[in-house]
Amino acid sequence: MPFSTLLFVCGFLPWCLITYWLVPARYRNWVALAFSVAFYAWGGPRFLPVVLALGAADFWLARAIARAEGRSRKTLLALALAVHGGILVYFKYSNFAVAQLNELTAIFAMNPYHWVDVALPIGISFLTFEEVSYVVDVYRGDAEPAKRGGHYLLFLMLFPHSIAGPIFRWKDLASQFTGRVTSAEQFWASMARFSFGLAKKILVADSAAILADHVFGLVPAEVSSAFAWAGAAAYAVQIYFDFSGYSDMAIGLGGMLGFTFKENFREPYAAASLAEFWQRWHISLSSWLRDYLYIPLGGNRKGNARAELNALLVFAASGIWHGAAWNFLAWGLYHGILVALERRSEPALSRLPKLLRCCLTFLAVVAGWVIFRAKDLSQARSMLSSMAFMRSATEVPTLLPAELFPRVATLATAGALAFVLWRMVVRVRDESSTWNSPTLWKYPAFSLALLALTLGHMANTKYMPLIYFKF
Amino acid sequence: MRTRCWIALHALVALAPMLGFVARRWDARVAQVVDVRLWGVELPPALPSLSFEDWQSEKTQSAFQRWFEARVGFRGAMVRTDNTIQTLVLGDAKPGSYVAVGEGGVPFAAEDFRYMGTPRRELPSILKRVEELTSRLGSVHRKLAKRGKQLVVVLSPSKTSVYPEAVPARWRRPGGERVDLDVHAALRAGLKTSGVPFGDAHALFTEAPRSARGLLFARGGRHWTSVGACLTLQAAFVGGPSALSCPWKPMPADRGYHGDFDLDCLENLWGTDVGWEHVPIAQLSPPLTLTPLPRLLLVGTSFMWMLADLLRPFVDKPVALFYNNTFFDLAVGRRLGTADATTPSWAEYVLERDLYVVDILETFAHHDEWLAFVTELDRRLD
C-alpha cells in the first residue's frame, strides 16, 4: 500500500492516527507496531514471516554479540553478516546471476540452467542495511542492543520507512521508543510535510514521468538530441521529486507518530561538485556506505590511489544495490570515476565560477540518470551519444508532439528545472541558504490547497509506483 | 489554537473521501453505472472475494484498492475539479485521456488525432491493406449480387475530417502532412473500381456548408448525428447528393448522455452544461421500399448504431456484428454472442442474410477486423 494512493491517505492513515492518538501513551508503540505489521502484510504478505524471522534472529544475535568476548564476537558478527548477505544475494541477485550463466551456456551450446524466478521481498535492500548497521554498531560498541524485542521490531517495521527507506540506524532511533512527546506544532509541521511530499510525488514526479517514459520508449532512430535531453531532464526531475517526495512523506508520517527522522535530501541538484551531490542525495544510503563500507575498506587513510579505489568500489556497490542489472553497475562506476577525476582536478575546478560548477555537476548527474533509467546499456549508449553529438533523428517519432510532450508533463518538468536553477543561483550568492520543505508549515492555506489538489489529481489519474520500491 | 484549526482542516480534507465512502456519499451517481459523466465507459469494479491464496499473491489487495478508490466519497467532484483545472489552465486534457481538447474547446477522440497524424512511413502498408479490403469487398459484392443479395458500404468519418481546423498544431505532424487524406482517397478509388455501392460521409460532410456541419456531426459528439448518418446511408442506396433528403425533427434527449454530446460528457468538466434538451432525429426519405423485407446484417463500429436506428423499420431480423467480434440482435437490442466463423450461429447470422451494410470508419479502415470479416465471407460464398 504505497503512500501515494487514496487507500493509504484516506483509508489506512486516518485509522492509524486516530487509534494511535486515542490510546494511552504506553500502548502507542504497540499500536504503531500493529499497524506497521498490517501495512507490510498488505504489501508483501509472503515475505512477512521472513522479515519477522530476521528481526528475531538479529535481536538474539545482537544481544549475544554484546555478551560475547574475543573470537566468538567476531564469529557471531560473521554469522549475522553471512545471513543478511546471503538473503540479499538470494532474493535480489540470483535471477540476474542465473540469467548471466544461461547466456554463457548459450554461447557454449550447453543446456540452460532451469531456475524459477525468485520474487523480490518488498523493502529487502533497506531492511538488510538497517539490520547490518544494527549488529555492526552493537559489535563496535556504538550502540546498545535493544532491550525489548517489540522496540527492535518496531524499528525495523515502522511503516513510514519499512519499504523504501530512509535507511535508519538503531542508535539514532533507540531513545525515541520511550517517552516520545509530540506538540500540536510538531504534528502540524509533520502533516504539512507529508502533504508537501505527496504533492511532489503526484503533481511533479508523476507528470515528469510521462515525458521521460515517452522519450525512453522511443526507438533509437526517433531520438534527436533535443528529445534525448528532454527525456533525461524529465527523468532527473522525476527521480528527485519522486524519492525526495517519498522521504518527505516518510519524515512527515514519522513526525505524526511522534518520531524525529533525519533528513534524506538536502537540495542535491544545487551541489557544486559530485562529491557534494552525494552528501546531499539519499543521505541515509550515502552515509551508510561511507560508515559500513568505505571506512572499513580504509577510506582515505591509505593514500590517494587507495582512496580512489575505495570510492570506486563503494560506488559500484551503490550501483548494484539499486538493482541487479549491468546499467546500475555502470551508473555506479560512472559516478565513481567522475568523483575520482573531480578529486584530481580540484585545483582547476575551484577556479571556475561556482554557478558554472553547479551547472556542470547537474549535467553530469543528468547524464548519469540516463544510464540508470535506460532499459539496457545499449539504450544508454544511444541516448548519451544523441545528447553529446547534437544528432537529429532519422525517423519521425510515432508519437505526435502533443503525446510526446503533454502540457502537464512539460510544465512540471520545466517548472522543476527552473526551480533547480533558481536554487543554484541563490546558493551561489549565499551558501548557507537552504530551502527545506518543513518550512511549508508556515503557509497553511497553501498546504491545504496543495493537499486538496493532490487528492483530486490522485482520484483522476492512474497510480504510478514509486521508483525506489523496486530497489 | 490556530495550529489546531489548521490540523483539523487538513484532516477534514484528507478524511472527506473516507467519510463520503462510509456515508455512501460517493458521488450521488455511483449507483447509476450508465452515468458516463462519472464513469466514462468503465464499470465500477466489484468487491473482491477474500481467499488466502489471493491474499498471498496480492490479487485481493490490488482488487480491493481498485474497488475502494472507485468509490471514495466525492470522487466525481474531485475528478471534475482536476479535469477542469487541467483544461482551463493548460488547455489540455489529462495525458492518456480518451478525449483530447481541440481548438475552441472542441472535444475529439484522441485516436482520431493519432490517425490523422499517422507517420508517412506507415502509409504503404496501410494502402496495401485498404486495396486488399476494397478488392475483397468487390468480390463479395459480385458473389452476393449473383444470389440476388445486396452489399452496401458506408464510410463513416473521423471527426478530424469534419472539423480539421479544430485540430491543434501540436496534434499534427510537423509540416502539416496528412496521411489520412491519402487513405480516404484510396478507399474511395478502391470502392469505385470494385463497383461496390457506397456512401462517403467524409466527402458529403466536407462538401456541406460549414453552417450545417453541426447538424451532420455534432461539435461535442464522437459520432455522426442521426441526420449525418441518414444522408450517408441514402447516398449509399440512391447515389449522388441531389437525391438526398433526410427530414428530421427534434426529439427529447436523455439529459445524462446522448451520442451528440458524448465527448462533452466524457470530458468530465465543471460547467459543461450541454443544455441540449432535444436532438435532431432523422428519417430516411424516401423510405426504403424493399420487398420482401430483407434480412439485414450490419457490420461495423459504434457509428453503425445510428444506422441501425434508421434501417430498423425497413428490414427483417436485423443483426449487427460489432468489430467482427460480437453479434447483436437489433430487433430487441440484446447481445447474441461472440463471433466465431466456425460455429453454426455465424453461418446463420452472416450467410442467411439478404442485405449487408458494412460501416467502415476511416480511422480503422486498415485494421484487421474488416479485412478478416470480408475475407471469411468471400471464402464462404465460393
Side-chain angles (χ1 to χ4, degrees):
Chain A
M1 193 192 320
F3 301 160
S4 54
T5 57
L6 287 173
L7 183 59
F8 178 83
V9 179
C10 306
F12 180 89
L13 185 59
W15 286 115
C16 173
L17 290 177
I18 289 168
T19 315
Y20 181 86
W21 287 107
L22 280 182
V23 301
R26 64 180 180 278
Y27 297 125
R28 284 181 186 157
N29 279 344
W30 290 109
V31 171
L33 181 60
F35 274 93
S36 296
V37 171
F39 182 81
Y40 199 94
W42 182 273
R46 274 177 297 173
F47 306 111
L48 184 60
V50 177
V51 175
L52 292 174
L54 281 175
D58 282 334
F59 180 70
W60 177 81
L61 274 168
R63 289 168 74 92
I65 288 170
R67 280 197 307 269
E69 288 179 358
R71 279 189 66 170
S72 58
R73 274 169 68 83
K74 274 192 178 172
T75 309
L76 286 167
L77 177 67
L79 176 66
L81 295 181
V83 167
H84 289 301
I87 282 182
L88 189 63
V89 166
Y90 171 73
F91 279 116
K92 194 157 181 172
Y93 304 107
S94 54
N95 295 340
F96 176 71
V98 173
Q100 301 310 307
L101 182 69
N102 282 343
E103 282 194 13
L104 277 179
T105 57
I107 291 170
F108 296 108
M110 293 161 66
N111 288 331
Y113 180 70
H114 290 288
W115 175 259
V116 179
D117 272 359
V118 178
L120 185 67
I122 191 163
I124 189 73
S125 310
F126 296 93
L127 286 170
T128 303
F129 274 28
E130 285 169 348
E131 287 167 325
V132 166
S133 74
Y134 172 59
V135 288
V136 170
D137 284 351
V138 170
Y139 172 81
R140 287 173 176 171
D142 291 344
E144 289 288 315
K147 290 187 174 62
R148 301 171 73 168
H151 286 179
Y152 182 68
L153 205 54
L154 183 56
F155 157 74
L156 274 188
M157 303 206 66
L158 193 60
F159 71 86
H161 81 105
S162 63
I163 49 176
I167 300 165
F168 293 146
R169 303 198 198 169
W170 168 253
K171 62 184 178 186
D172 296 331
L173 279 191
S175 62
Q176 298 186 39
F177 291 106
T178 48
R180 288 192 301 282
V181 180
T182 307
S183 64
E185 283 70 26
Q186 187 191 342
F187 187 90
W188 157 236
S190 303
M191 201 177 210
R193 182 74 181 265
F194 177 82
S195 304
F196 187 66
L198 189 65
K200 280 166 84 174
K201 158 74 180 143
I202 298 291
L203 301 181
V204 184
D206 287 359
S207 298
I210 298 167
L211 207 163
D213 289 350
H214 283 168
V215 172
F216 280 90
L218 294 173
V219 295
E222 295 178 345
V223 182
S224 66
S225 292
F227 285 1
W229 275 107
Y235 188 69
V237 169
Q238 182 198 352
I239 194 166
Y240 171 60
F241 279 82
D242 188 282
F243 195 28
S244 73
Y246 173 84
S247 295
D248 285 335
M249 286 189 265
I251 293 168
L253 288 169
M256 285 190 266
L257 296 174
F259 290 93
T260 305
F261 296 161
K262 286 184 173 176
E263 292 296 327
N264 207 25
F265 288 86
R266 282 201 186 91
E267 298 193 86
Y269 287 160
S273 68
L274 281 172
E276 189 188 354
F277 171 81
W278 282 108
Q279 288 161 14
R280 294 168 171 276
W281 177 275
H282 199 174
I283 298 166
S284 62
L285 174 67
S286 305
S287 59
W288 192 100
L289 290 169
R290 180 197 62 210
D291 294 345
Y292 300 100
L293 196 57
Y294 181 70
I295 292 174
L297 283 171
N300 49 12
R301 299 187 303 274
K302 297 180 179 175
N304 277 345
R306 181 61 189 269
E308 284 168 4
L309 178 66
N310 290 342
L312 197 65
L313 289 172
V314 168
F315 276 110
S318 167
I320 210 74
W321 177 86
H322 281 85
W326 292 116
N327 59 315
F328 288 121
L329 179 64
W331 172 76
L333 291 171
Y334 165 86
H335 274 280
I337 292 166
L338 284 191
V339 166
L341 289 174
E342 188 180 77
R343 201 173 154 134
R344 290 185 178 200
S345 322
E346 181 57 29
L349 288 172
S350 61
R351 286 197 289 275
L352 295 174
K354 191 169 178 192
L355 185 60
L356 181 60
R357 274 188 286 151
C358 289
C359 290
L360 288 174
T361 304
F362 182 62
L363 291 179
V365 170
V366 169
W369 289 135
V370 171
I371 305 170
F372 189 91
R373 169 63 177 78
K375 66 176 188 287
D376 52 35
L377 286 175
S378 160
Q379 189 190 26
R381 197 171 52 238
S382 166
M383 287 280 288
L384 287 172
S385 67
S386 283
M387 289 162 72
F389 301 114
M390 291 299 138
R391 213 166 56 183
S392 47
T394 53
E395 274 188 27
V396 177
T398 308
L399 294 174
L400 290 160
E403 292 177 289
L404 199 51
F405 300 107
R407 282 183 176 163
V408 62
T410 311
L411 192 74
T413 305
L417 289 174
F419 176 78
V420 166
L421 190 62
W422 172 65
R423 287 306 307 161
M424 283 181 192
V425 172
V426 170
R427 287 202 67 244
V428 166
R429 288 182 185 161
D430 175 11
E431 201 157 323
S432 64
S433 163
T434 54
W435 193 92
N436 280 331
S437 38
T439 53
L440 194 77
W441 63 269
K442 291 176 184 167
Y443 309 99
F446 176 66
S447 167
L448 190 67
L450 205 56
L451 179 63
L453 275 177
T454 308
L455 291 178
H457 198 64
M458 285 163 74
N460 195 26
T461 47
K462 282 183 183 160
Y463 161 68
M464 282 194 180
L466 181 82
I467 293 176
Y468 265 69
F469 274 155
K470 61 185 176 210
F471 304 143
Chain B
M1 189 59 194
R2 266 184 72 186
T3 302
R4 288 174 199 274
C5 285
W6 283 117
I7 291 174
L9 275 174
H10 276 67
L12 195 63
V13 168
L15 274 172
M18 184 52 138
L19 294 175
F21 171 79
V22 173
R24 300 174 81 83
R25 292 293 303 166
W26 299 332
D27 193 72
R29 292 179 190 279
V30 165
Q32 302 171 31
V33 174
V34 290
D35 178 20
V36 294
R37 276 184 288 181
L38 179 62
W39 293 108
V41 290
E42 294 171 12
L43 292 175
L47 183 64
S49 58
L50 185 62
S51 72
F52 184 70
E53 290 74 24
D54 285 350
W55 182 272
Q56 287 287 90
S57 61
E58 296 169 45
K59 281 183 194 163
T60 301
Q61 291 90 318
S62 49
F64 181 82
Q65 187 171 324
R66 282 196 300 276
W67 177 84
F68 174 79
E69 295 190 348
R71 285 167 172 76
V72 290
F74 315 107
R75 178 176 180 266
M78 292 196 285
V79 167
R80 274 173 223 150
T81 304
D82 190 57
N83 281 336
T84 306
I85 291 169
Q86 293 204 43
T87 306
L88 291 184
V89 177
L90 306 174
D92 204 357
K94 69 175 177 181
S97 171
Y98 179 77
V99 186
V101 183
E103 299 294 350
V106 180
F108 285 86
E111 61 197 6
D112 282 349
F113 280 162
R114 286 187 202 106
Y115 167 66
M116 185 180 179
T118 305
R120 187 153 289 276
R121 65 170 179 271
E122 293 177 19
L123 185 60
S125 67
I126 294 174
L127 291 182
K128 193 177 166 202
R129 292 181 75 81
V130 165
E131 189 190 342
E132 201 178 343
L133 174 67
T134 52
S135 148
R136 283 279 185 188
L137 280 167
S139 169
V140 168
H141 168 62
R142 286 187 293 278
K143 287 175 185 172
L144 287 174
K146 275 186 196 166
R147 298 170 191 217
K149 299 181 174 187
Q150 192 176 0
L151 169 72
V152 164
V153 170
V154 175
L155 295 182
S156 45
S158 164
K159 193 172 182 180
T160 49
S161 304
V162 188
Y163 291 93
E165 76 287 352
V167 180
R170 60 203 179 84
W171 277 103
R172 293 174 185 266
R173 283 280 157 215
E177 64 168 1
R178 285 186 60 183
V179 163
D180 61 323
L181 296 179
D182 296 331
V183 177
H184 175 249
L187 263 173
R188 280 183 68 90
L191 289 170
K192 273 185 184 165
T193 308
S194 306
V196 182
F198 70 96
D200 178 6
H202 178 141
L204 281 174
F205 294 2
T206 49
E207 285 162 13
R210 293 190 80 172
S211 57
R213 272 191 317 190
L215 194 60
L216 304 171
F217 202 124
R219 184 183 177 279
R222 167 74 182 96
H223 306 96
W224 48 21
T225 62
S226 174
V227 178
C230 178
L231 290 172
T232 312
L233 198 56
Q234 281 211 328
F237 277 103
V238 299
S242 59
L244 302 183
S245 160
C246 277
W248 57 271
K249 55 183 176 183
M251 299 287 281
D254 171 3
R255 286 188 65 84
Y257 171 82
H258 191 279
D260 285 1
F261 41 83
D262 52 3
L263 288 185
D264 275 337
C265 295
L266 273 175
E267 277 189 292
N268 267 313
L269 302 177
W270 286 117
T272 305
D273 182 7
V274 290
W276 286 31
E277 292 188 1
H278 295 88
V279 291
I281 300 295
Q283 288 179 314
L284 285 169
S285 177
L288 296 182
T289 50
L290 304 164
T291 49
L293 288 183
R295 293 165 300 174
L296 169 72
L297 176 67
L298 193 51
V299 183
T301 65
S302 46
F303 277 75
M304 74 178 170
W305 304 128
M306 204 64 92
L307 299 176
D309 288 344
L310 290 159
L311 286 167
R312 199 174 284 118
F314 312 109
V315 294
D316 186 28
K317 294 177 183 168
V319 170
L321 175 54
F322 183 65
Y323 280 96
N324 196 26
N325 63 29
T326 313
F327 285 114
F328 289 89
D329 182 338
L330 292 173
V332 293
R334 71 181 172 93
R335 185 179 181 275
L336 289 168
T338 305
D340 178 354
T342 61
T343 58
S345 60
W346 191 92
E348 180 194 341
Y349 300 142
V350 175
L351 297 179
E352 294 172 21
R353 302 282 121 186
D354 307 307
L355 175 61
Y356 296 78
V357 176
V358 179
D359 147 46
I360 300 175
L361 173 59
E362 59 178 324
T363 311
F364 300 143
H366 58 290
H367 287 202
D368 287 338
E369 291 87 351
W370 285 264
L371 185 58
F373 168 74
V374 177
T375 304
E376 181 63 24
L377 180 57
D378 191 26
R379 192 179 68 77
R380 298 286 278 268
L381 290 173
D382 282 335

